[in-house]
Amino acid sequence: MSDIDNTQAEGAAGAPNPTSKMARRRARELALQGVYQWLLSGNNATTVQRHLESETENLDKIDRELFVSLLRGATGAADELRGCFEPLLSRPVAELSPIEHAILLLGTHELRHNLDTPYRVVINEAIELAKGYGGTDGHKFVNGVLDKLSTRLRPEEVEAARARRG
């Protein structure tokens, strides 16, 4: 089920649905915190995950499966993911802010591995993270990089979307 298809925020019993749009957004925010922490601390992903889960209120209101997948995927394959987006950067990876770096790792991982989530949703979610946590124009930078990357990683999907728009 994709973010677009799943807009119901509560399950049948009135309990939060951990796969709702908001639960997925919270999972991305928590994963961003985790990747940021991982980049700065050098701790392994398991340590970061445990710390975040112990410190996060309302953990039941996030899509935990997505959170763990993003955190472990982005940290576990960071070099490979950097190799995907680095050629598209206007500056070296070392000059990226830790937030931009973390968002690009997460967005690249999601574009590569979460094929059930439309590429435009991945980019939009990354832009929202950059607006909320990044610098003034960081969202424009993230948008530009992930937009170019999506044409490389998901060419058929991008072309189909462009054809629909006319």
Side-chain angles (χ1 to χ4, degrees):
M1 188 174 298
S2 75
D3 288 348
I4 290 176
D5 296 334
N6 191 357
T7 57
Q8 189 151 354
E10 294 192 342
N17 179 349
T19 58
S20 72
K21 187 175 179 179
M22 280 308 299
R24 291 176 65 82
R25 175 155 294 166
R26 287 185 187 116
R28 288 182 180 98
E29 289 176 347
L30 197 58
L32 173 61
Q33 291 174 29
V35 174
Y36 178 85
Q37 221 177 79
W38 175 79
L39 285 169
L40 295 181
S41 72
N43 290 332
N44 66 42
T46 302
T47 301
V48 170
Q49 178 185 339
R50 284 186 189 136
H51 172 77
L52 287 171
E53 288 176 339
S54 71
E55 297 292 318
T56 301
E57 293 181 23
N58 301 319
L59 194 59
D60 61 326
K61 292 185 180 179
I62 71 159
D63 182 336
R64 188 174 182 281
E65 185 178 330
L66 178 63
F67 159 63
V68 172
S69 167
L70 291 174
L71 176 63
R72 294 194 177 241
T75 58
D79 289 337
E80 181 182 335
L81 297 171
R82 284 184 199 105
C84 292
F85 66 75
E86 191 167 21
L88 305 172
L89 300 178
S90 58
R91 58 188 184 261
V93 171
E95 292 181 15
L96 295 175
S97 76
I99 289 292
E100 289 171 344
H101 189 176
I103 292 169
L104 289 175
L105 287 170
L106 289 168
T108 302
H109 171 76
E110 199 163 4
L111 283 172
R112 290 190 70 191
H113 299 286
N114 294 25
L115 301 179
D116 60 323
T117 304
Y119 83 96
R120 293 173 77 189
V121 171
V122 173
I123 293 171
N124 186 60
E125 290 294 317
I127 290 168
E128 292 303 316
L129 288 172
K131 284 180 178 177
Y133 298 96
T136 304
D137 286 331
H139 67 283
K140 294 176 185 176
F141 175 74
V142 166
N143 180 32
V145 173
L146 292 180
D147 188 56
K148 290 175 193 167
L149 185 60
S150 67
T151 62
R152 293 181 179 194
L153 297 180
R154 297 191 186 181
E156 297 86 10
E157 184 183 353
V158 171
E159 189 55 41
R162 288 182 181 156
R164 283 192 299 276
R165 287 192 301 259

